[in-house]
Amino acid sequence: MEFLYVHQGTGQIVVNSKVYTIQSGTFLYLQPYQLHHIQVEVHPDAPFERTIISLEPSIFEPYFASFPHLNAYFQHLWKKELEEQVLQQNDNNSFISQLFQHHHAGFSIYQHDAKQQNFALLLLQIFQFLYVKGFGNPIENGNGFNPHRQLRYSEKTMNWLEGHYSEE
């Protein structure tokens, strides 16, 4: 899974054959192995600053286990077909921006285990925010049925390797 949040700058991103304008406050979610292309406009007086979060969902799945609704939403974004993957905030003081600023300070002082826990807390907060916003056509806000998406070839290959890496 990958999240991209644009703090400043402009450009375009192509996801699922759709072109989206990105600007300060744009929040983008990409499913595992989802192809995308980003073009940004960078000039000395117009920098492009973003935060990218990449994670292997199976590693963080246990953190969602204590939160049934949030876990269902996490599974939904991870494994289902999504109609919406871009959220435009248009506000540098948005909750997501403040969340990144808050957690950024802590990452430099924590040891490894504490960093993973802090990162998991950040993820839970991001998913809770997106869930409340109705981002990604969640189960309760949509038509009640979103089919599982087809696994990408690279994803099938990685799943097979993860399941068989210890075999001779």
Side-chain angles (χ1 to χ4, degrees):
M1 298 178 125
E2 187 174 312
F3 297 101
L4 180 137
Y5 179 77
V6 179
H7 297 278
Q8 62 177 333
T10 60
Q12 294 182 327
I13 185 161
V14 179
V15 180
N16 292 339
S17 302
K18 294 179 186 174
V19 179
Y20 298 96
T21 299
I22 55 175
Q23 59 192 7
S24 179
T26 300
F27 183 83
L28 171 74
Y29 165 67
L30 297 165
Q31 292 178 309
Y33 303 99
Q34 185 173 20
L35 295 178
H36 60 284
H37 178 71
I38 298 176
Q39 282 187 299
V40 295
E41 300 165 15
V42 179
H43 307 286
D45 58 335
F48 185 75
E49 181 183 346
R50 82 271 189 232
T51 296
I52 298 173
I53 296 178
S54 298
L55 67 123
E56 168 54 46
S58 61
I59 291 174
F60 290 92
E61 193 171 16
Y63 289 99
F64 288 87
S66 298
F67 308 96
H69 290 303
L70 207 52
N71 186 36
Y73 181 61
F74 171 71
Q75 297 291 329
H76 172 78
L77 288 184
W78 177 9
K79 298 176 180 178
K80 302 282 183 137
E81 287 289 337
L82 302 178
E83 296 173 14
E84 176 185 28
Q85 291 181 250
V86 177
L87 179 65
Q88 297 289 354
Q89 296 275 232
N90 299 330
D91 180 8
N92 283 335
N93 292 320
S94 71
F95 178 76
I96 294 286
S97 180
Q98 290 178 2
L99 196 58
F100 285 139
Q101 289 173 15
H102 172 74
H103 282 274
H104 175 73
F107 282 125
S108 61
I109 61 171
Y110 292 133
Q111 298 300 318
H112 178 70
D113 289 345
K115 279 184 183 180
Q116 184 169 337
Q117 291 175 17
N118 194 41
F119 184 69
L121 181 58
L122 171 64
L123 289 177
L124 288 168
Q125 291 172 309
I126 289 172
F127 275 88
Q128 176 64 24
F129 171 77
L130 295 174
Y131 177 76
V132 169
K133 282 280 195 189
F135 179 76
N137 55 309
I139 302 156
E140 290 87 355
N141 295 342
N143 58 10
F145 175 75
N146 282 42
H148 274 78
R149 65 179 170 80
Q150 293 285 356
L151 293 180
R152 294 160 182 96
Y153 290 115
S154 52
E155 197 169 3
K156 289 178 186 178
T157 302
M158 290 303 296
N159 287 342
W160 187 89
L161 287 172
E162 287 176 8
H164 296 85
Y165 73 92
S166 62
E167 298 174 7
E168 292 203 20

